[in-house]
Amino acid sequence: MSEHKVYPVPESVAARAHVTQAEYEAMYRRSVDDPEGFWAEQADRFLDWFEKWDTTLDWSFEGDVHVEWFKGGKLNVAHNCIDRHLAEHAEKTALIWEGDEPDQDQHITFRELHEQVSRLGNVLKERGVSKGDRVCLYMPMIPEAVYAMLACARIGAVHSVVFGGFSPEALKDRIQDAEASVVITADEGVRGGRKVGLKANTDKAVDQCPSVHTVLTVRRTGGDIGWNDSRDVWYHEAVEAASADCPAEPMDAEDPLFILYTSGSTGKPKGVLHTTGGYLLYAAITTWYTFDLQPDDVYWCTADVGWITGHSYLVYGPLANATTSVVFEGVPSYPDASRFWEVVDKHQVSVFYTAPTAIRALMREGDEPVTKTDRSSLRILGTVGEPINPEAWEWYYHVVGKEQCPIVDTWWQTETGGHLITPLPGATELKPGSATRPFFGIVPALMDTDGHVVEGEGEGALVITRPWPGQMRTIYGNHQRFVETYFSAFKGCYFSGDGARRDGNGDYWITGRMDDVLNVSGHRMGTAEIESALVLHDAVAEAAVVGYPHDVKGQGIYAYVILVKDAEPSDALRKELVNLVRSEIGPIASPDAIQWAPGLPKTRSGKIMRRILRKIAANELDSLGDTSTLADPAVVDELINNRVTG
Ligand code: 6R9
């Protein structure tokens, strides 16, 4: 079975890598035996500080839960990602933008990046944005998205990037929660030849957001858009008129850098808050070691800036290391299934980082779209976002990487800021499907259902027992929810929400979410959010949403819908429900299957037994488990008989 396959570290990779296996072991031991000494050293090595910190670490994972790194230290993220590189690398390419159409691209040097970010910083200041104010970004994958993140960091504003695929309703919720005063967007985004009306969506959202006084719009397509003189400003006009002299604001290491909304198992998305010093250090050091960065790398992370991977591994991590980072506007299938590999050849990409769902989708198109390209520039391959099945791993390794490139399967989360469990190219034997070993300073543990630590080989809830610099500090505006969500399940530990197995060699295998969070094409979604959208429809009395295995998406969305008494099920109603979810959340949350249900399996105390709903959706009918505690066991047979295929 491929699970047992092991790929040793090739001699050639180990010989020039930043760390070998022995070095990893020694450095890991040091990082957990003397975390403060270790991280203080790394903070000096990876970052440029205006003023040294007073206290390296102050923390508690119990009671008054708090985590502070490098308190009192002063630095600026934009200075670290741009200014300090100018002396040696002003003319080096910082960003390569690859447009949706293969004939569109642009190289932006660190000098140009500095000018663009400084001008935009001044525009924001002129519009009244100051330190600590929130700015919302709702943008396509264009260089201005990176400028905007760094411009906020430069002046000490807190950015909140909202993925361009979210609906106006979802955008509105996020702007309101953060009380953003400015939104930066584009007239339209372009993906796979199709246009997305970002400004039109912004207008709909902002009409319900009294906190917003300015909408800055980048002209991307020149398409028709609405205009409101009292709040709309063209990005290019404002930037041209602004000064290019914008000093980087000295920030405390613990000042907020950004908010990023992510889904949990209950309620509305949470504003995950990351701060300045610890986050940047962790993004920088993980990018360096996980991808074994070399000075002439062309590094391409295909994630959108709307997700944490786009923050840490497209913008902050690579730029902090003065690495050339590719920004891709399009999709893997446009104009055809060779696009990724054509772009790799065109820009001579050496490090390539993508999601299992993209690999699986491309694998279905066969080998030819890959093998007709050269790809000899590739050195390291990475994956992120969901467990990678061994078949997809092997295809990525043999066909895409021609058995020349180690694959780093990086496990981490929006909350963790950067990689927690991942192979390092020169140090780790690879096992298809395993995220392998903890990164420096990370102390994972597995817990059984009684809250006891599982020692050695075994399976359990994956927790982290010690603080690390990149971890989130709070949920914006709701510290209590932060404590309850992450620190209440297992006393004194950060609970990730994932389960994992540790094998006899100490390698970790992530088994997936243990809570009601779905992972659809690497996009994280709460079942509760989708259920809330469905019950907004007058015809719907109750809804229960679960995930089920899906060949390409990893998980598909299966919705059980109970109609009100007089409503009739129909295809038209099914369509209305899908549209409702699209408009409340976005197309990524559209249910793949909707089953009309007479009722739901509930315990006598009224709790929905989701375990049973998951089994039915997955068509695993032999393993339904105990149904004797149900209030009405007959409902299960009805659900099985009317199961739909997604
Ligand atoms: C970075 C990111 C986090 C959830 C996480 C887990 C899943 C991410 C994974 C993985 C197995 C990997 N996940 N990477 N599962 N192997 N290499 O994806 O953040 O969007 O917050 O999702 O994604 O379930 O808990 P986020």
Side-chain angles (χ1 to χ4, degrees):
M1 225 180 101
S2 56
E3 256 200 21
H4 299 300
K5 266 206 192 143
V6 178
Y7 291 84
V9 180
E11 292 279 338
S12 58
V13 174
R16 51 108 248 261
H18 297 316
V19 286
T20 60
Q21 188 173 0
E23 285 162 344
Y24 163 78
E25 301 289 352
M27 219 165 133
Y28 179 77
R29 184 142 323 117
R30 160 94 210 284
S31 74
V32 298
D33 288 349
D34 174 21
E36 295 187 31
F38 175 83
W39 285 114
E41 255 172 51
Q42 303 305 329
D44 266 336
R45 181 175 155 218
F46 278 92
L47 302 181
D48 197 15
W49 297 82
F50 298 144
E51 275 175 48
K52 185 102 184 169
W53 54 92
D54 306 315
T55 326
T56 302
L57 171 63
D58 185 15
W59 72 291
S60 173
F61 280 2
E62 276 178 67
D64 164 30
V65 175
H66 67 281
V67 176
E68 287 181 342
W69 285 91
F70 313 115
K71 186 91 178 144
K74 300 279 185 284
L75 76 168
N76 182 281
V77 166
H79 166 88
N80 272 280
C81 290
I82 311 170
D83 303 38
R84 66 166 163 155
H85 306 320
L86 292 178
E88 282 183 38
H89 301 302
E91 300 311 319
K92 180 175 177 175
T93 300
L95 302 175
I96 299 176
W97 177 70
E98 169 77 13
D100 191 50
E101 295 295 336
D103 60 354
Q104 300 169 322
D105 57 30
Q106 192 189 344
H107 285 240
I108 297 129
T109 63
F110 279 97
R111 187 178 48 73
E112 289 163 334
L113 183 63
H114 180 257
E115 180 180 336
Q116 293 294 335
V117 168
S118 299
R119 286 180 184 273
L120 182 56
N122 280 328
V123 169
L124 293 173
K125 283 204 266 189
E126 282 157 21
R127 302 297 302 187
V129 177
S130 48
K131 198 167 167 168
D133 291 350
R134 277 79 54 216
V135 174
C136 174
L137 276 52
Y138 183 62
M139 302 192 73
M141 289 288 286
I142 54 178
E144 287 82 356
V146 181
Y147 304 161
M149 291 166 75
L150 290 164
C152 289
R154 191 166 192 86
I155 66 168
V158 180
H159 60 69
S160 162
V161 185
V162 177
F163 174 57
F166 278 123
S167 68
E169 190 65 25
L171 174 62
K172 178 207 75 181
D173 286 345
R174 287 158 175 77
I175 296 173
Q176 286 182 348
D177 187 77
E179 294 177 287
S181 56
V182 173
V183 180
I184 309 181
T185 187
D187 49 2
E188 296 171 309
V190 196
R191 285 183 87 230
R194 282 201 293 217
K195 292 181 178 155
V196 188
L198 294 176
K199 175 63 161 65
N201 286 352
T202 303
D203 289 344
K204 277 190 212 148
V206 165
D207 283 341
Q208 301 165 70
C209 300
S211 63
V212 175
H213 58 65
T214 299
V215 175
L216 271 175
T217 302
V218 178
R219 184 180 274 157
R220 167 65 185 95
T221 64
D224 275 345
I225 54 170
W227 201 257
N228 172 344
D229 278 328
S230 69
R231 88 187 162 214
D232 282 331
V233 178
W234 277 114
Y235 180 105
H236 61 276
E237 287 178 3
V239 162
E240 264 162 42
S243 151
D245 178 20
C246 178
E249 186 77 26
M251 304 297 287
D252 192 278
E254 282 298 336
D255 279 337
L257 176 63
F258 66 84
I259 300 167
L260 184 59
Y261 288 86
T262 193
S263 298
S265 48
T266 56
K268 288 200 168 189
K270 320 171 265 225
V272 168
L273 185 108
H274 282 287
T275 57
T276 300
Y279 170 81
L280 188 65
L281 169 60
Y282 202 70
I285 188 175
T286 49
T287 311
W288 178 258
Y289 283 110
T290 302
F291 300 110
D292 201 34
L293 285 186
Q294 305 292 328
D296 52 357
D297 270 331
V298 175
Y299 165 100
W300 182 15
C301 164
T302 68
D304 191 283
V305 289
W307 310 114
I308 190 68
T309 307
H311 284 59
S312 302
Y313 298 111
L314 188 136
V315 179
Y316 293 119
L319 295 179
N321 284 296
T323 298
T324 302
S325 181
V326 176
V327 179
F328 178 43
E329 186 181 38
V331 296
S333 54
Y334 181 84
D336 57 46
S338 272
R339 185 66 188 277
F340 271 179
W341 324 119
E342 308 261 344
V343 175
V344 165
D345 286 349
K346 177 178 174 187
H347 298 300
Q348 291 292 291
V349 170
S350 50
V351 181
F352 179 75
Y353 189 33
T354 197
T357 185
I359 299 166
R360 288 191 298 264
L362 292 172
M363 193 167 92
R364 299 220 314 193
E365 305 291 324
D367 295 359
E368 201 264 344
V370 187
T371 52
K372 74 178 197 196
T373 62
D374 177 44
R375 302 176 325 289
S376 56
S377 57
L378 287 174
R379 195 164 55 74
I380 308 277
L381 299 173
T383 80
V384 56
E386 45 177 323
I388 182 164
N389 46 312
E391 297 69 28
W393 195 102
E394 297 280 356
W395 185 80
Y396 198 31
Y397 184 77
H398 294 285
V399 180
V400 175
K402 297 189 273 194
E403 301 166 18
Q404 301 299 307
C405 308
I407 296 179
V408 288
D409 173 359
T410 60
W411 175 77
W412 60 295
Q413 312 177 292
T414 305
E415 293 88 339
T416 71
H419 307 149
L420 295 194
I421 301 185
T422 179
L424 304 183
T428 320
E429 287 188 339
L430 302 175
K431 298 179 182 174
S434 170
T436 72
R437 296 299 170 99
F439 192 79
F440 304 125
I442 302 303
V443 187
L446 301 177
M447 302 297 227
D448 67 18
T449 40
D450 300 329
H452 297 127
V453 176
V454 177
E455 305 283 356
E457 207 176 331
E459 191 165 338
L462 178 55
V463 303
I464 311 295
T465 64
R466 304 256 335 179
W468 68 100
Q471 75 184 103
M472 75 184 283
R473 301 297 195 257
T474 192
I475 291 174
Y476 184 71
N478 198 344
H479 194 68
Q480 195 48 41
R481 188 174 173 200
F482 169 67
V483 177
E484 281 161 16
T485 307
Y486 303 105
F487 297 93
S488 68
F490 301 98
K491 199 171 149 60
C493 297
Y494 167 84
F495 177 40
S496 64
D498 282 322
R501 180 165 68 78
R502 189 173 40 228
D503 68 20
N505 299 322
D507 286 318
Y508 287 85
W509 302 72
I510 310 299
T511 51
R513 300 289 306 194
M514 299 178 77
D515 54 12
D516 294 320
V517 171
L518 304 183
N519 197 327
V520 180
S521 299
H523 299 320
R524 191 170 147 176
M525 237 162 298
T527 51
E529 283 169 79
I530 307 173
E531 289 161 4
S532 310
L534 290 169
V535 297
L536 288 176
H537 197 290
D538 286 341
V540 176
E542 197 177 2
V545 168
V546 296
Y548 69 101
H550 187 287
D551 284 349
V552 174
K553 298 179 178 187
Q555 273 188 308
I557 301 174
Y558 196 108
Y560 296 88
V561 172
I562 298 163
L563 296 178
V564 297
K565 220 156 104 225
D566 300 327
E568 284 296 325
S570 68
D571 284 344
L573 180 55
R574 203 186 294 268
K575 246 186 221 132
E576 279 176 38
L577 293 180
V578 170
N579 284 335
L580 183 58
V581 174
R582 291 170 74 97
S583 72
E584 283 298 308
I585 306 173
I588 54 171
S590 308
D592 297 282
I594 294 180
Q595 173 169 0
W596 309 116
L600 296 173
K602 290 189 183 172
T603 59
R604 287 187 196 97
S605 59
K607 207 167 153 15
I608 299 175
M609 291 192 73
R610 289 173 179 277
R611 176 176 56 79
I612 293 176
L613 294 177
R614 282 192 211 107
K615 293 283 181 194
I616 296 173
N619 206 10
E620 291 168 9
L621 305 175
D622 306 338
S623 54
L624 282 182
D626 183 13
T627 55
S628 63
T629 55
L630 289 178
D632 176 15
V635 88
V636 174
D637 293 328
E638 291 219 42
L639 291 179
I640 291 173
N641 292 336
N642 296 304
R643 202 186 151 267
V644 294
T645 40

